[in-house]
Amino acid sequence: MNPTAVIAEDEPLLAASLRSELRALWPELEVVAVAPNGLAAVQQGLAHRPDIVFLDVRMPGRSGLEAAQALAEEWPGDTLLPLTVFVTAYDEYALKAFDLAAVDYVLKPVRADRLALTCSRLKDALARRHAGEADHDDTTLARLRALLAGAGAAPAAKLTVIQASAGNTIHMVRIDDVLYFEAADKYVRLVTAEREHLIRMSLRELLPQLDTQRFWQVHRGTVVRADAIETATRDEAGKLTLSLRGHADRLPVSRLYSHLFKAM
């Protein structure tokens, strides 16, 4: 069976060019869908379950990194995760993050010689995967976690107090009182044992300001205070759920972050 791929690129001419170059360099590769944005990339990826995804880093709706994260979390457990190649305009900080995470990328405009190298790497990786020579999913997840950590915002001072507005009142919430944060559109829901607040900040903006030793990301939309976790329970399908001390909420753990509970 021929390998399959999904291309996610919001510029139609660039998408057509990449598809044409791939056809010339790797005739056996079947491009099963071209997605015009990050949300469509996730939808097409889950629908087709390709062997490879080419993700433009900057796309409307969801970036390539966010699409890769969503695919990793929503990918069916009975299918190996796809190999991922990021397509990006030159950005020194982003390229350094890709290199550190050992994730393959190609630069815009795409050069045939560089894409040929990527195709060679992909063929080797697929051959190793089919031969059972690598724990592909664990390797892919580890690289994606490293990339998400390396491509985040610049380090910031760690928060000790968070301001949460409610009408004309500003609540000063101690970071020690926060049980977990949850993404809510353009806001973040902050939950304590007594109440919850909405803060005017995205989770992406908040993450660099949190101490990662104390606050663990367990899902792309959830960050929990580690010492507030009472139990981590794995069901028959292997999915993890967290219970919290003094609170009834249950928090799901995506497989991208299940390594935090590897001892189980």
Side-chain angles (χ1 to χ4, degrees):
M1 183 180 296
N2 288 339
T4 57
V6 166
I7 294 173
E9 169 60 68
D10 63 311
E11 298 183 46
L13 290 178
L14 293 179
S17 175
L18 177 57
R19 188 171 193 168
S20 176
E21 291 284 359
L22 285 170
R23 187 182 299 116
L25 292 167
W26 193 354
E28 299 80 13
L29 180 67
E30 181 184 357
V31 177
V32 293
V34 177
N37 55 58
L39 180 59
V42 176
Q43 293 171 339
Q44 295 288 356
L46 294 174
H48 293 283
R49 301 192 194 182
D51 299 298
I52 303 162
V53 289
F54 292 86
L55 297 174
D56 183 15
V57 171
R58 296 187 182 276
M59 290 185 289
R62 274 181 176 165
S63 70
L65 289 178
E66 290 168 334
Q69 187 176 14
L71 281 171
E73 295 191 337
E74 298 175 26
W75 199 261
D78 60 351
T79 307
L80 288 173
L81 289 165
L83 301 170
T84 302
V85 178
F86 291 96
V87 184
T88 180
Y90 180 78
D91 181 304
E92 184 176 358
Y93 187 76
L95 299 190
K96 182 178 179 181
F98 292 143
D99 285 334
L100 290 174
V103 173
D104 204 8
Y105 63 88
V106 292
L107 290 173
K108 294 181 182 180
V110 176
R111 289 170 31 204
D113 59 339
R114 180 60 179 82
L115 186 59
L117 176 60
T118 292
C119 289
S120 177
R121 290 172 176 170
L122 291 169
K123 290 176 184 178
D124 288 345
L126 287 176
R128 290 196 305 272
R129 184 174 77 174
H130 292 154
E133 295 177 3
D135 193 346
H136 172 71
D137 276 6
D138 281 355
T139 301
T140 299
L141 292 173
R143 287 175 175 173
L144 181 55
R145 285 193 296 267
L147 180 57
L148 290 167
K158 304 308 177 187
L159 290 171
T160 56
V161 174
I162 297 179
Q163 297 184 14
S165 300
N168 295 325
T169 303
I170 296 177
H171 295 271
M172 307 298 288
V173 184
R174 296 192 318 151
I175 198 74
D176 292 344
D177 294 333
V178 177
L179 295 177
Y180 68 93
F181 298 97
E182 184 178 58
D185 295 325
K186 296 180 180 179
Y187 296 83
V188 170
R189 178 172 165 248
L190 178 162
V191 179
T192 69
E194 291 79 26
R195 60 179 301 173
E196 61 183 65
H197 306 270
L198 283 179
I199 56 177
R200 299 173 185 270
M201 178 185 295
S202 70
L203 193 62
R204 185 192 301 176
E205 294 170 320
L206 175 64
L207 279 170
Q209 302 179 61
L210 298 176
D211 181 350
T212 56
Q213 297 298 312
R214 298 194 63 208
F215 286 87
W216 294 357
Q217 186 164 14
V218 295
H219 189 277
R220 71 177 180 277
T222 310
V223 177
V224 62
R225 199 182 84 230
D227 59 7
I229 300 171
E230 185 167 46
T231 63
T233 305
R234 194 183 301 276
D235 66 15
E236 293 180 357
K239 295 182 179 179
L240 280 167
T241 302
L242 306 180
S243 66
L244 306 177
R245 304 181 196 282
H247 204 277
D249 285 359
R250 298 292 184 267
L251 306 179
V253 179
S254 77
R255 68 162 138 176
L256 184 58
Y257 300 103
S258 62
H259 68 290
L260 296 168
F261 307 93
K262 198 71 172 180
M264 298 183 63

